[in-house]
């Protein structure tokens, strides 16, 4: 991210800590619920944060939402709960561990596929054996035949970057997590659930070093998707890193303003 974004982000994170926002009752829980609700909303879920809270805490389903939408949210909650424990073990991230994460994300909503490349089950996190494009008329992702090898290479580079990371540099932690998100979603290893799983990995890499996880709100979707497209076309990952930094800054500013207003 740019030096300007680094300076703003560090200043906001310091203020967030000084105000004690994270010390509010159930702050971490509701922050996570917000991340989950918006991550599924980007993929089409219409479940609201209030509905998600009732679903997660009380087991109360909404008659206004489909079972698939609510299962998307339940699965992603399970994936975050599993991942937040797993990442704290600081183990190497492998193809197998990414498949396990994807299986949590897609447990209730993943489908079985019979393609020319063979049979695979998305609910088990299995890698795609068919080619996919980014929406109607969109750019094609890499051939499914290249995915396993490319995923191995990604894991090696990610682990090398994690080992070399200066964990006292908060902005470097964010940059690593944003880079990992972009690389993984560009590989697009799965037939479905790529966005949710890549945002999950991004957040877990942040949680690994106890920095505030980045939200991507449903209203950010257009800017977020465009940054992914521009980064691929320009072959400049800094475009995505700066977009994510700006979104995180914007959300921090909004949260701080709302908190200050509530206590004034």
């Amino acid at each position: 991210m740019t030096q300007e974004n680094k300076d703003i982000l560090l200043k906001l994170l310091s203020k967030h800590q000084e105000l004690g926002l994270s010390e509010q009752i159930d702050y971490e829980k509701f922050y996570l619920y917000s991340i989950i609700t918006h991550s599924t909303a980007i993929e089409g879920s219409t479940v609201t944060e209030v509905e998600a809270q009732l679903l997660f805490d009380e087991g109360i389903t909404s008659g206004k939402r489909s079972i698939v939408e609510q299962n998307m949210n339940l699965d992603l909650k399970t994936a975050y709960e599993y991942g937040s424990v797993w990442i704290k073990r600081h183990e190497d991230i492998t193809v197998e561990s990414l498949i396990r994460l994807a299986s949590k994300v897609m447990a209730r909503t993943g489908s079985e596929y019979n393609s020319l490349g063979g049979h695979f089950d998305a609910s088990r996190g299995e890698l795609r054996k068919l080619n996919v494009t980014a929406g109607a008329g969109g750019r094609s992702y890499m051939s499914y035949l290249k995915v396993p090898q490319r995923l191995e290479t990604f894991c090696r580079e990610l682990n090398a970057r994690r080992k070399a990371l200066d964990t006292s540099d908060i902005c470097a932690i964010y940059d690593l997590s944003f880079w990992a998100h972009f690389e993984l979603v560009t590989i697009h290893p799965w037939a479905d659930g790529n966005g949710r799983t890549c945002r999950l990995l991004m957040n877990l890499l942040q949680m690994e070093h106890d920095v505030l996880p980045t939200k991507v709100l449903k209203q950010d979707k257009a800017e977020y998707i465009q940054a992914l497209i521009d980064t691929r076309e320009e072959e400049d990952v800094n475009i995505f890193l700066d977009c994510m930094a700006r979104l995180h800054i914007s959300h921090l500013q909004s949260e701080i303003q709302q908190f200050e207003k509530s206590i004034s």
Side-chain angles (χ1 to χ4, degrees), residues 70-127:
Q70 295 178 84
N71 280 340
M72 283 172 65
N73 282 272
L74 287 168
D75 281 343
L76 194 53
K77 178 176 179 285
T78 299
Y80 269 93
E81 289 171 343
Y82 165 80
S84 63
V85 174
W86 164 71
I87 199 67
K88 287 293 187 178
R89 296 201 290 265
H90 308 292
E91 299 171 350
D92 277 357
I93 293 172
T94 64
V95 174
E96 290 72 25
S97 58
L98 292 176
I99 287 173
R100 197 173 305 116
L101 278 181
S103 74
K104 305 289 184 184
V105 173
M106 299 301 298
R108 293 177 176 87
T109 62
S111 302
E112 292 189 53
Y113 293 81
N114 287 299
S115 67
L116 291 175
H119 174 271
F120 65 98
D121 188 345
S123 71
R124 296 169 62 88
E126 294 175 355
L127 304 181

Side-chain angles (χ1 to χ4, degrees), residues 35-51:
I35 286 175
I36 292 167
T37 308
H38 283 278
S39 188
T40 58
I42 288 172
E43 309 305 330
S45 169
T46 60
V47 173
T48 67
E49 289 190 48
V50 172
E51 289 168 342

Side-chain angles (χ1 to χ4, degrees), residues 16 21-22 24-32 212 255:
H16 191 280
L21 269 73
S22 59
Q24 299 173 84
I25 295 174
D26 286 336
Y27 176 84
E28 288 187 6
K29 181 179 80 169
F30 291 125
Y31 193 89
L32 179 60
L212 190 69
E255 189 174 355

Side-chain angles (χ1 to χ4, degrees), residues 9-27:
L9 181 56
L10 290 173
K11 184 178 179 180
L12 287 170
L13 287 169
S14 178
K15 187 168 186 179
H16 191 280
Q17 187 175 26
E18 288 171 10
L19 289 171
L21 269 73
S22 59
E23 295 171 11
Q24 299 173 84
I25 295 174
D26 286 336
Y27 176 84

Side-chain angles (χ1 to χ4, degrees), residues 147-173:
V147 167
Q149 181 66 42
R150 183 65 187 86
L151 210 49
E152 291 279 4
T153 302
F154 165 71
C155 288
R156 285 197 299 272
E157 185 169 358
L158 175 57
N159 290 321
R161 288 179 179 232
R162 288 169 73 212
K163 288 180 174 67
L165 182 66
D166 177 1
T167 57
S168 67
D169 186 342
I170 293 174
C171 291
I173 295 169

